[in-house]
Amino acid sequence: MDLNLLTLFITVAQTGNFRAAADRLGVTRSAVSQGVRRLERHLGRPLFQRTTRSVRLTQDGERFLEAISNPFGEMTAAIEVMRDVEDAPHGHLRITATSIAERFLSGPLIASFAETYPGITLDVTVSDEEFDIVAAGFDAGVRLGEVIEKDMVAVPLTGDQRQVAVATPGYLARHGIPQHPRELTAHRCIGWRPLPETAPYRWEFERGCPRRRLIGGSSSVMGGRSMWRSSRRLPPTTCS
């Protein structure tokens, strides 16, 4: 094994960035990236989680860095430690999910995961805030496809998700049933926003015509699934 790879690994861990590590070592960013991949292949496990914006050590990477931080007299022992790590998945897995995905992650899915992988401690955080999940220390995230960064590795968990407009029977009895999306601007709509400082999500309607976006006038805005209880779906409309 090329011992220069260890110097490269430590530099990337210290700088948290391939380009900064390349500048410090006087090599190209490509050389740093290729060197890290060679070291990971040699050890048989990933040492970094990376995107185009940030690089973070995995748990195995943190263990390896700690083992080789004492100078090179312990390098051989450190490599053997990594090779002897058990093959079964183990460690702490942090996942962030939006409130929309909360029900998908709950119940049987979590229970079956815990039974299948007893060596993994699962930590799930539910948040609708958009942020860099790697920089925030998460291992994975469950997000709507439209908000996933292009440089992230994404795997679909469900089919396409649909949204529908609903209203309580009492409201429709008092105010009537809208026949076209534009009529909703005259109704008291309940919108949703992920955070207090963000604008309400704009409703999108699409049925054999160009997509329309709007938010109902005089709307009160709130979050959570409680707004859908005791409601019924509005009938389909046509666009004109």
Side-chain angles (χ1 to χ4, degrees):
M1 175 184 149
D2 185 356
L3 296 184
N4 289 325
L5 296 179
L6 300 181
T7 301
L8 185 149
F9 164 74
I10 293 173
T11 305
V12 173
Q14 291 173 342
T15 60
N17 184 282
F18 281 179
R19 185 171 300 281
D23 291 341
R24 180 180 295 184
L25 296 172
V27 298
T28 65
R29 183 184 184 280
S30 176
V32 172
S33 179
Q34 292 175 11
V36 168
R37 285 198 296 268
R38 286 172 56 198
L39 182 59
E40 289 176 328
R41 284 196 300 267
H42 184 79
L43 297 176
R45 60 198 67 252
L47 300 175
F48 293 98
Q49 289 183 341
R50 57 266 210 184
T51 69
T52 56
R53 297 170 304 183
S54 59
V55 174
R56 184 171 69 89
L57 286 168
T58 62
Q59 286 184 310
D60 283 334
E62 292 175 348
R63 185 184 298 113
F64 187 56
L65 178 64
E66 181 178 357
I68 66 172
S69 291
N70 293 330
F72 293 106
E74 300 181 1
M75 283 186 180
T76 302
I79 294 172
E80 292 304 318
V81 166
M82 292 305 303
R83 288 178 171 172
D84 291 340
V85 172
E86 60 184 289
D87 292 331
H90 63 282
H92 191 77
L93 180 62
R94 297 190 66 209
I95 298 176
T96 174
T98 64
S99 59
I100 295 175
E102 182 179 1
R103 294 182 65 183
F104 170 76
L105 287 174
S106 61
L109 181 63
I110 297 295
S112 62
F113 183 92
E115 183 176 355
T116 304
Y117 303 104
I120 294 180
T121 301
L122 193 60
D123 183 345
V124 179
T125 299
V126 178
S127 172
D128 290 315
E129 184 179 358
E130 296 181 20
F131 54 87
D132 184 338
I133 64 175
V134 173
F138 289 95
D139 301 296
V142 183
R143 293 284 187 267
L144 292 175
E146 62 189 39
V147 298
I148 297 176
E149 295 289 342
K150 293 182 179 180
D151 58 354
M152 298 295 291
V153 177
V155 178
L157 297 178
T158 68
D160 291 342
Q161 301 296 299
R162 297 184 60 202
Q163 295 177 316
V164 296
V166 298
T168 63
Y171 179 89
L172 296 177
R174 293 191 301 272
H175 301 283
I177 301 176
Q179 300 302 311
H180 191 281
R182 62 171 169 262
E183 296 178 20
L184 293 174
T185 58
H187 283 266
R188 297 189 62 81
C189 300
I190 301 178
W192 170 83
R193 69 172 87 211
L195 295 170
E197 63 271 16
T198 59
Y201 181 80
R202 292 189 175 273
W203 297 358
E204 298 181 359
F205 293 88
E206 187 176 35
R207 184 180 174 86
C209 58
R211 181 176 297 176
R212 299 172 181 269
R213 292 188 177 188
L214 59 87
I215 185 70
S218 302
S219 61
S220 56
V221 181
M222 59 180 289
R225 294 194 301 268
S226 60
M227 69 176 73
W228 310 119
R229 296 171 183 167
S230 302
S231 300
R232 81 178 203 187
R233 180 177 177 178
L234 296 179
T237 63
T238 58
C239 298
S240 60

